[in-house]
């Protein structure tokens, strides 16, 4: 004041305290944000607009992109070099127009050159020349999504394929049946004998094609037996090797290989598909390496969407052929994917192999590089059981019956017609039923006469499964042979387990049927 007393000190002093406290608050809040930033679940970063150099980032970003530390990341990494140029332009364009960006999907190259998929949300600060954003790694999620889509696709095609194969096989059965009948009246060299043999060959090819379709149809597996895979593989390789002299087959089988439970016809089909592909990949000559071994998969290896942990038998088929690039390798199991041109490949071989192995609870993988050959690895779940022997040759001669009575049950008129004629010729008495109820009626009346029932699986109304149960309740010792073109949902396999005597796949020849019938009737 005018007297010279000092009065301002308190105010100044007060001011300092306020400033001190404000700074402390700021520091605390910065510390809070800092820890939020460091411990966030997503990667947070600030990058320069001009070249995408990372200025600031938390550890998560460094981890995602494969860098040792944030320091190394900020020193070396630039988005401009890690994104595809078009995608980066698109990202900047959106940011410049909108100011912010949410859930933008982009592929990024990591330090080691590997790729990951990210989702980015960001905000742009044009005056300061930088972008701030958050990123989440969705690589694994995308991979899973892809697998789920793949599985769904396979399933719907499988259903379709099963339906087609069923009708197709019944149709072929009609053609095969009548051809068998005419052939039975002719001797080799007589008029039309060769033409009829050619029809039979075509039917066989048709049946092979529908077997491929059945391969990736779900549940198309019936006739499973404990099997020594070494022996089955050896048999298939021998059959194949006989026709392809330019291919050298080298075998290395584990001597103590575990047993697997498989439909042998189907697994042979898988092997044959792999051999044919290998041969086609080695047009001049080459080697096929076959190897088997026992493996155990732990939980961490068998992801939930693949297979169960446990004991497996591995079968690997390697060729020294042309190999394939990544793009091709990723599509080989797709139905109808082929690089072989019209008329040469249908693209069903590996799709069917995939379906068959999947149906067996196993998996199949491919490893290949262009120009370096290919390896296919198959894993089949092992069981604790002794393998049953494998028969090596199909017999040629028809075996006739001794007037035993057989009840043939099928909903298709043509199968009943041709089936009756065949069984007549083979020397059996025949009862016919066009459905489950009729079959049960006839069986009740004639159960002392009927020695065997040949039962179709898929019938409208009362299906093969239900019919079998009813028949079995009439006579627990009844002899039944199941016959089918295909059945959906593994019903046939279910019934096979309940003690059906045998299974025959349509279309079949007279000879084959005659052998199967004798096998059942002569078994004590
Ligand atoms: N061992 C192999 N070496 C190189 N490429 C292969 C091999 N196996 C399969 N491929 C590739 O995978 C594609 C699909 O094979 P897949 O067996 O399913 O069909 P395909 O052989 O083309 O026809 P199909 O088997 O129906 O006659 C082939 O066209 C080929 O490009
Ligand atoms: Mg093929």
């Amino acid at each position: 004041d005018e007297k010279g007393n000092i009065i301002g000190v308190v105010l100044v002093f007060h001011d300092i305290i306020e400033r001190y406290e404000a700074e402390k608050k700021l520091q605390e809040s910065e510390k809070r944000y800092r820890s939020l930033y460091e411990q966030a679940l997503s990667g947070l970063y600030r990058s320069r607009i001009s070249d995408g150099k990372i200025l600031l980032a938390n550890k998560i970003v460094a981890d995602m992109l494969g860098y040792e530390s944030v320091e190394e990341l900020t020193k070396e990494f630039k988005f401009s070099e890690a994104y595809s140029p078009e995608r980066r332009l698109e990202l900047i364009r959106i940011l410049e127009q909108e100011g912010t960006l949410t859930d933008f999907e982009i592929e990024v190259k990591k330090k080691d050159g590997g790729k990951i998929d990210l989702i980015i949300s960001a905000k742009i600060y044009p005056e300061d020349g930088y972008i701030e954003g958050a990123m989440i790694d969705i690589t694994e999620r995308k991979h899973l999504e892809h697998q789920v889509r793949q599985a769904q696709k396979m399933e719907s095609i499988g259903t379709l394929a099963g339906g087609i194969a069923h009708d197709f096989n019944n149709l072929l059965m009609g053609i095969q049946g009548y051809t068998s009948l005419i052939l039975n009246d002719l001797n080799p060299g007589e008029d039309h004998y060769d033409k009829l043999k050619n029809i039979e060959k075509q039917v066989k090819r048709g049946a092979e094609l529908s077997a491929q379709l059945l391969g990736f149809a779900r549940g198309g597996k019936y006739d499973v037996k404990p099997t020594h895979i070494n022996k089955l593989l050896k048999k298939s390789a021998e059959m194949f090797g006989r026709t392809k002299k330019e291919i050298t087959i080298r075998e290395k089988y584990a001597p103590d290989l575990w047993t697997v439970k498989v439909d042998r016809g189907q697994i042979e089909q898988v092997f044959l598909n792999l051999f044919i592909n290998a041969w086609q990949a080695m047009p001049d000559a080459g080697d096929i390496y076959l190897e088997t071994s026992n493996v155990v998969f732990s939980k961490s290896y068998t992801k939930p969407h693949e297979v169960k942990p446990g004991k497996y038998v591995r079968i690997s088929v390697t060729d020294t052929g042309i190999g394939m690039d990544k793009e091709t390798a990723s599509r080989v199991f797709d139905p109808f994917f082929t690089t072989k041109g019209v008329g040469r490949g249908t693209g069903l071989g590996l799709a069917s192999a995939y379906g068959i192995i999947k149906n067996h609870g196993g998996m199949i993988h491919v490893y290949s590089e262009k120009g370096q050959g290919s390896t296919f690895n198959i894993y089949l779940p092992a069981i604790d059981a002794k393998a049953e022997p494998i028969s090596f040759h199909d017999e040629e001669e028809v075996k006739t019956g001794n007037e035993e009575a057989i009840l043939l049950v099928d909903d298709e008129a043509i199968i009943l017609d041709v089936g009756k004629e065949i069984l007549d010729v083979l020397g059996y008495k025949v009862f016919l039923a066009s459905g489950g109820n009729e079959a049960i009626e006839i069986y009740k009346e004639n159960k002392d006469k009927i020695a065997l029932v040949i039962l179709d699986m898929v019938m409208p109304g009362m299906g093969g499964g239900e019919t079998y149960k009813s028949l079995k309740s009439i006579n627990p010792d009844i002899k039944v042979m199941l016959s089918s073109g295909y059945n959906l949902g593994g019903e046939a396999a279910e019934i096979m387990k309940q003690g059906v005597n045998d299974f025959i796949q349509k279309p079949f020849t007279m000879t084959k049927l005659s052998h199967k019938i004798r096998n059942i009737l002569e078994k004590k």
Side-chain angles (χ1 to χ4, degrees), residues 277-278 280-281 319 322-324 328 332 337-340 344-351 374 376:
N277 282 344
Q280 287 169 333
D319 65 62
I322 54 174
M324 38 192 147
T328 306
V332 290
F337 174 77
T338 179
T339 58
K340 287 174 189 164
R344 287 221 56 207
T346 53
L348 281 178
L350 289 176
S374 310
F376 286 84

Side-chain angles (χ1 to χ4, degrees), residues 8-77:
V9 178
V10 176
L11 261 176
V12 170
F13 183 59
H14 191 72
D15 199 34
I16 287 174
I17 285 180
E18 251 185 10
R19 196 164 358 147
Y20 173 76
E21 287 202 329
E23 239 164 53
K24 208 170 129 192
K25 259 195 192 134
L26 200 69
Q27 264 172 21
E28 263 167 19
S29 104
E30 196 188 306
K31 216 161 111 189
R32 264 209 307 279
Y33 281 117
R34 183 122 218 122
S35 92
L36 204 63
Y37 179 75
E38 296 298 350
Q39 288 164 29
L41 288 174
S42 45
L44 303 174
Y45 67 94
R46 174 186 292 172
S47 67
R48 200 152 64 198
I49 298 173
S50 57
D51 60 354
K53 183 177 160 58
I54 288 197
L55 306 169
L56 279 173
N58 61 4
K59 181 80 169 61
I60 294 181
V61 177
D63 289 345
M64 274 185 204
L65 298 173
Y67 288 86
E68 291 293 319
S69 63
V70 175
E71 287 70 46
E72 191 191 22
L73 175 78
T74 48
K75 218 192 275 163
E76 291 178 13
F77 183 83

Side-chain angles (χ1 to χ4, degrees), residues 153-372:
K153 196 164 79 185
M154 291 304 253
E155 196 173 319
S156 54
I157 294 177
T159 308
L160 176 74
I164 294 174
H166 170 253
D167 289 6
F168 198 59
N169 280 339
N170 272 316
L171 207 141
L172 289 173
M173 187 64 243
I175 302 174
Q176 176 62 62
Y178 285 115
T179 311
S180 281
L181 280 167
I182 307 174
L183 273 171
N184 195 55
D185 286 343
L186 297 178
N187 292 314
E190 272 185 80
D191 255 6
H192 301 315
Y193 184 90
D194 290 341
K195 288 180 192 130
L196 285 162
K197 275 285 176 198
N198 270 326
I199 294 179
E200 256 193 347
K201 248 188 228 156
Q202 295 301 314
V203 169
K204 202 160 168 239
R205 286 191 55 189
E208 277 162 14
L209 194 66
S210 72
Q212 300 278 51
L213 283 171
L214 278 179
F216 60 84
R218 288 196 322 141
K221 174 185 80 171
Y222 319 98
D223 198 2
V224 287
K225 292 198 182 96
T227 302
H228 203 319
I229 273 295
N230 286 350
K231 293 193 183 138
L232 197 66
L233 188 58
K234 202 172 167 60
K235 177 188 166 198
S236 307
E238 263 169 28
M239 262 168 40
F240 177 79
R242 232 175 282 146
T243 57
K244 305 283 182 296
K245 296 281 179 222
E246 66 275 28
I247 305 280
T248 313
I249 298 177
R250 301 176 190 280
E251 293 152 293
K252 195 170 138 199
Y253 300 144
D256 55 347
L257 200 69
W258 292 323
T259 306
V260 292
K261 205 169 179 183
V262 298
D263 184 318
R264 293 172 182 177
Q266 292 194 341
I267 297 297
E268 276 184 296
Q269 186 186 321
V270 172
F271 293 158
L272 200 64
N273 284 336
L274 293 181
F275 297 162
I276 290 174
N277 282 344
W279 166 65
Q280 287 169 333
M282 305 185 289
D284 301 322
D287 299 324
I288 295 180
Y289 293 85
L290 304 178
E291 205 183 316
T292 59
S293 58
N294 293 328
V295 291
V296 176
F297 288 138
S298 63
K299 239 197 195 108
S300 59
Y301 186 88
T302 55
K303 291 187 193 143
H305 48 271
E306 291 252 29
V307 295
K308 296 195 188 100
K311 288 157 82 174
Y312 283 78
V313 164
R314 183 178 71 101
I315 305 132
S316 106
V317 178
T318 300
D319 65 62
T320 53
I322 54 174
M324 38 192 147
D325 56 29
K326 270 221 169 72
E327 165 70 17
T328 306
S330 72
R331 298 185 58 195
V332 290
F333 298 116
D334 280 4
F336 305 109
F337 174 77
T338 179
T339 58
K340 287 174 189 164
V342 185
R344 287 221 56 207
T346 53
L348 281 178
L350 289 176
S352 118
Y354 178 91
I356 289 172
I357 299 302
K358 207 124 208 148
N359 273 341
H360 281 81
M363 48 186 178
I364 176 166
H365 294 152
V366 58
Y367 298 94
S368 185
E369 257 169 65
K370 218 173 166 56
Q372 303 292 320

